[in-house]
Amino acid sequence: MNQQIILLYAGQYRIVDEKTGEINEGVTCNYYFNTNLTAEDHENGTKGTRPAKGVMDYETMSKIKKAPALYNAEFELKIGADMKPVLRVKDLEFVDEVQIVPLSQISAAPAPQEKEAKEAREAKEAKEAKK
């Protein structure tokens, strides 16, 4: 299954069992499936998006450029130690950086086209003022 996610956190771990010498390693991660972060009101009275927690292969850390960030994630279904199905991140591809800001900041900021038009007007006025 392929799905876009917002990767919030990723951290490698490597634990050596003192008795057996067996190495247990991987990457712990937290992510959102709700990539547009729209407000959610659920039927059970809860609100918002709870981050999912997962584990990836140790080598996957090299594909993580930044966090939080938007990634294309490939998931696989595995059977956990308790014999229950577990959704596991198999692969990641960086898409873009993300930034969580209040909506009031977004609506107060001029659109890129408006900003470019304003800068062009100001440059033209400055050029005419020099004449």
Side-chain angles (χ1 to χ4, degrees):
M1 173 181 103
N2 293 319
Q3 178 79 37
Q4 276 199 336
I5 61 170
I6 295 177
L7 182 67
L8 300 169
Y9 168 83
Q12 283 181 311
Y13 63 88
R14 176 177 274 147
I15 302 166
V16 179
D17 187 310
E18 292 178 11
K19 294 179 184 176
T20 65
E22 184 179 331
I23 298 173
N24 182 13
E25 63 183 13
V27 176
T28 298
C29 61
N30 295 88
Y31 53 91
Y32 284 135
F33 284 109
N34 180 3
T35 56
N36 61 8
L37 293 180
T38 54
E40 294 181 336
D41 292 326
H42 304 281
E43 289 180 15
N44 66 0
T46 62
K47 298 185 183 304
T49 301
R50 178 180 280 180
K53 183 177 182 180
V55 177
M56 299 181 267
D57 290 335
Y58 191 80
E59 297 78 26
T60 309
M61 190 72 175
S62 65
K63 296 185 175 189
I64 300 172
K65 295 181 180 185
K66 295 185 178 206
L70 186 65
Y71 285 85
N72 288 327
E74 182 182 344
F75 289 88
E76 63 183 346
L77 202 55
K78 292 268 194 169
I79 301 299
D82 59 359
M83 301 306 291
K84 292 182 180 177
V86 176
L87 198 57
R88 183 179 165 113
V89 178
K90 183 178 178 180
D91 197 15
L92 286 174
E93 177 188 1
F94 177 81
V95 175
D96 201 358
E97 293 183 45
V98 295
Q99 185 177 25
I100 300 171
V101 296
L103 284 175
S104 59
Q105 285 184 7
I106 294 171
S107 52
Q113 298 87 356
E114 292 175 27
K115 186 177 177 184
E116 290 171 6
K118 181 181 176 189
E119 289 171 355
R121 269 194 319 274
E122 289 172 353
K124 184 178 178 183
E125 289 170 3
K127 188 176 180 181
E128 288 175 1
K130 287 182 181 179
K131 289 181 181 180

